[in-house]
Amino acid sequence: MSDYIFRLIGQSMCERVHKQFCGEREKRRPTSSAWCDKAIDCSTKPSTTFDLSNGPVVGSRKRPSEGNYEKEKEHCIALFDQWSEAEQVEFVERLISRMCHYQHGHINSYLKPMLQRDFITALPAQGLDHIAENILSFLDARSLCAAELVCKEWQRVISEGMLWKKLIERMVRTDPLWKGLSERHQWEKYLFKNRTSEIPPNSYYHSLYPKIIQDIETIEANWRCGRHNLQRIQCRSENSKGVYCLQYDDDKIISGLRDNSIKVSQHYFFLLLHTSGVLAGNSLTGIFVTTGEVLNTLIHHNEAVLHLRFANGLMVTCSKDRSIAVWDMASPTDISLRRVLVGHRAAVNVVDFDDKYIVSASGDRTIKVWSTSTCEFVRTLNGHKRGIACLQYRDRLVVSGSSDNTIRLWDIECGACLRVLEGHEELVRCIRFDNKRIVSGAYDGKIKVWDLQAALDPRAPASTLCLRTLVEHSGRVFRLQFDEFQIISSSHDDTILIWDFLNVSTNGQSEGRSPSRTYTYISR
């Protein structure tokens, strides 16, 4: 401790101590504490002259003889060693307070490397490699690149800890775009596995990361510029009147046609449908599609059932009879009516819900918000000038489309309209959104892609909100769904279109990096 303190202070410091506590003791008596009195040999005569007129010591100094300086320094060190840690700290603080600025700089330069610790290198030396790996695993890609360049030991910890693999796994778990790419590019098979001979080395994941970023940037550019591959599925039959509704997942597309038929791929799932055409019946029928067995039929609404949603044991239906029915759904065969919600003055066209709110939209131009747990009315969202045909609700945001040809964004908690999107020329029939964009389809046959984040920014000009207009349908767009890679839409023109933004054609040929998904349709 003593060597550290006085080597830090240096030769000029010792001169300063000698002068302040001995040479000027008659003019400026040091503190009366016993330990400070011990520290100064008051029998020493002053040997340095300086000017005290302007703060710290300035001016000329006369060095004491080497013999006296060394003797006095050793005496101070000996006394210093006898004090407690608190006394030593107080003493050094007093010495530093009497120094000038450039001396403080010397001390700072001396202290700085002593206070630094390379804990990433030190931890493995103590057998704590896993702690070093865990610390570095919280870095993002840019920081991880920088960490590899610090030294060979840091690079070893990152490599042996497979930290690039862990970074990619973290992104796949939290970002649906990354998850989708891992499935389509088939490098998911190298993730979420323990260290075995089957997985590649860390360098593979290091080189894979920038390729994934490049793919993401390409997909985003394709969305902005409207570049896509188009797959057209014909659903025309003798009595076809348009593909009115659809839903898809990784394995199948289910579509409902105006000729009262349903077209579906051969996979196992449970389907709820209306008995007399898509918008004609007033009952709900549960069918196990694989066998065609009718599992349940629910009779409640007095007129056509126009829309429904079900999730997590709850189902909400709405009808032309202006009511909303809330059902407890223990199983396909055990469904009971919980509550009927009444308040709209016209047909209820669409519903959506989560654990907090049920949201309904009607031809009466209003959106109503209800409590999911109590089924009590909460508030009404007013703004549309004509009936509302579609909406989606998630978190605090509700996005609705209307026959007034506009799209509105709402804050469900306060009921405020955040933005009005204009551009469609006829009724907006379907609308979906995610964290980045809104996709809408209308009776004008057009699909529009909107920038959601810009739409939520009141400073963004209206002219910048629509990213792209897609025109391929020759009839009204009835329904659409989309994810990070594609839009699937259905229309009155008896077609389903798949707009692929991942596998974009280059010079007439597909890029070929990701296999395109093919859906085979079978009429039931």
Side-chain angles (χ1 to χ4, degrees):
M1 182 66 180
S2 59
D3 280 343
Y4 159 66
I5 293 294
F6 285 93
R7 287 175 184 173
L8 170 67
I9 294 173
Q11 180 174 324
S12 64
M13 188 68 207
C14 288
E15 292 178 2
R16 185 62 171 267
V17 172
H18 178 77
K19 182 63 180 177
Q20 290 289 342
F21 287 95
C22 298
E24 295 294 319
R25 64 186 177 89
E26 297 298 330
K27 296 181 180 178
R28 185 180 298 172
R29 184 69 178 176
T31 181
S32 59
S33 59
W35 62 266
C36 201
D37 288 337
K38 292 178 185 177
I40 309 302
D41 182 359
C42 295
S43 63
T44 307
K45 295 181 179 180
S47 57
T48 305
T49 60
F50 52 87
D51 183 7
L52 290 176
S53 60
N54 189 21
V57 179
V58 293
S60 60
R61 293 185 177 89
K62 292 182 179 180
R63 284 288 309 277
S65 64
E66 288 298 321
N68 289 341
Y69 167 71
E70 292 296 332
K71 182 178 180 181
E72 292 162 358
K73 182 176 71 172
E74 293 302 323
H75 179 59
C76 286
I77 293 174
L79 291 175
F80 185 85
D81 288 341
Q82 298 174 13
W83 302 334
S84 67
E85 289 186 0
E87 291 171 339
Q88 290 173 343
V89 170
E90 184 180 352
F91 179 69
V92 172
E93 287 176 350
R94 293 195 177 195
L95 293 182
I96 292 175
S97 69
R98 287 171 164 77
M99 298 177 69
C100 59
H101 183 70
Y102 84 90
Q103 290 172 312
H104 291 158
H106 282 295
I107 291 177
N108 182 63
S109 299
Y110 184 81
L111 278 176
K112 191 172 182 179
M114 298 182 68
L115 296 175
Q116 293 174 340
R117 293 290 184 272
D118 183 359
F119 55 89
I120 297 300
T121 300
L123 286 170
Q126 301 296 321
L128 300 173
D129 301 65
H130 62 288
I131 296 179
E133 292 172 8
N134 191 45
I135 293 170
L136 293 179
S137 70
F138 288 95
L139 297 179
D140 58 21
R142 185 182 298 275
S143 301
L144 199 57
C145 282
E148 286 185 312
L149 301 177
V150 171
C151 63
K152 290 183 177 180
E153 182 62 19
W154 283 46
Q155 187 180 39
R156 183 194 67 79
V157 171
I158 292 170
S159 177
E160 294 185 2
M162 301 293 287
L163 297 191
W164 282 103
K165 174 175 175 286
K166 292 179 180 178
L167 175 60
I168 294 174
E169 289 173 344
R170 186 167 75 241
M171 298 301 297
V172 169
R173 279 194 300 266
T174 58
D175 191 320
L177 179 54
W178 283 71
K179 180 174 176 59
L181 282 173
S182 73
E183 295 169 351
R184 286 163 171 79
H185 287 178
Q186 300 178 358
W187 39 262
E188 63 174 345
K189 60 187 176 183
Y190 300 121
L191 303 177
F192 306 106
K193 293 183 179 179
N194 295 328
R195 300 181 186 184
T196 64
S197 57
E198 298 177 0
I199 64 172
N202 187 65
S203 58
Y204 166 80
Y205 301 96
H206 192 174
S207 61
L208 175 62
Y209 191 92
K211 294 177 183 177
I212 299 172
I213 297 299
Q214 183 178 3
D215 284 340
I216 291 173
E217 291 174 349
T218 299
I219 292 169
E220 293 299 324
N222 290 341
W223 275 97
R224 288 193 303 270
C225 300
R227 292 191 295 264
H228 60 273
N229 276 344
L230 189 67
Q231 180 182 351
R232 189 183 301 269
I233 300 175
Q234 292 290 345
C235 299
R236 185 170 288 108
S237 63
E238 290 183 7
N239 300 316
S240 62
K241 303 172 185 177
V243 184
Y244 195 81
C245 58
L246 68 82
Q247 186 172 342
Y248 77 88
D249 61 16
D250 291 342
D251 304 315
K252 57 189 172 289
I253 300 175
I254 310 167
S255 64
L257 279 68
R258 293 293 291 272
D259 64 359
N260 302 347
S261 69
I262 296 170
K263 291 186 180 292
V264 62
S265 62
Q266 292 180 316
H267 287 273
Y268 298 94
F269 56 92
F270 175 74
L271 178 66
L272 278 162
L273 66 134
H274 315 303
T275 54
S276 301
V278 178
L279 287 180
N282 55 12
S283 67
L284 295 167
T285 301
I287 294 180
F288 195 50
V289 175
T290 307
T291 63
E293 178 187 0
V294 176
L295 300 179
N296 203 344
T297 299
L298 308 176
I299 305 294
H300 166 71
H301 291 291
N302 298 321
E303 295 189 59
V305 179
L306 301 181
H307 197 251
L308 66 84
R309 280 281 183 267
F310 65 91
N312 303 321
L314 185 69
M315 180 170 66
V316 180
T317 64
C318 62
S319 169
K320 194 175 179 180
D321 65 10
R322 307 179 185 182
S323 72
I324 301 153
V326 182
W327 310 77
D328 289 312
M329 191 173 175
S331 71
T333 58
D334 183 8
I335 304 175
S336 59
L337 181 64
R338 179 199 295 185
R339 186 81 173 266
V340 178
L341 311 180
V342 179
H344 285 292
R345 294 177 287 105
V348 184
N349 295 321
V350 60
V351 289
D352 204 352
F353 72 93
D354 65 6
D355 292 337
K356 189 172 184 180
Y357 294 123
I358 297 170
V359 184
S360 59
S362 167
D364 65 7
R365 310 177 186 180
T366 68
I367 298 170
K368 291 190 179 294
V369 182
W370 319 77
S371 169
T372 302
S373 58
T374 66
C375 294
E376 296 297 326
F377 173 74
V378 177
R379 65 178 54 88
T380 299
L381 311 182
N382 289 296
H384 280 294
K385 295 178 175 60
R386 298 186 67 181
I388 301 166
C390 57
L391 67 74
Q392 183 184 351
Y393 158 54
R394 190 177 66 187
D395 299 328
R396 291 186 58 142
L397 185 63
V398 175
V399 180
S400 60
S402 167
S403 55
D404 63 10
N405 304 346
T406 67
I407 298 164
R408 287 180 180 259
L409 283 64
W410 310 82
D411 184 336
I412 197 171
E413 295 294 347
C414 65
C417 181
L418 306 176
R419 174 76 79 162
V420 179
L421 304 179
E422 298 178 308
H424 282 294
E425 299 168 6
E426 295 186 44
L427 178 150
V428 181
R429 185 63 187 86
C430 49
I431 197 159
R432 305 301 293 172
F433 71 90
D434 61 10
N435 294 328
K436 299 176 183 176
R437 54 186 69 92
I438 301 168
V439 182
S440 60
Y443 278 5
D444 58 11
K446 298 175 182 177
I447 294 173
K448 287 185 177 289
V449 181
W450 311 81
D451 186 334
L452 175 59
Q453 297 305 317
L456 293 173
D457 183 355
R459 299 167 298 180
S463 59
T464 65
L465 302 183
C466 184
L467 299 176
R468 188 61 48 181
T469 299
L470 307 175
V471 184
E472 288 290 343
H473 282 296
S474 58
R476 296 173 174 179
V477 179
F478 284 141
R479 193 72 60 179
L480 63 80
Q481 187 178 338
F482 79 97
D483 56 29
E484 292 79 8
F485 309 103
Q486 62 186 354
I487 300 172
I488 298 184
S489 59
S490 65
S491 169
H492 188 264
D493 62 11
D494 294 323
T495 65
I496 294 174
L497 297 184
I498 302 173
W499 316 71
D500 185 354
F501 297 94
L502 176 61
N503 302 286
V504 176
S505 296
T506 303
N507 297 326
Q509 295 185 351
S510 177
E511 285 184 350
R513 294 192 57 192
S514 300
S516 298
R517 298 189 175 188
T518 302
Y519 297 91
T520 302
Y521 261 73
I522 299 175
S523 179
R524 290 289 184 182

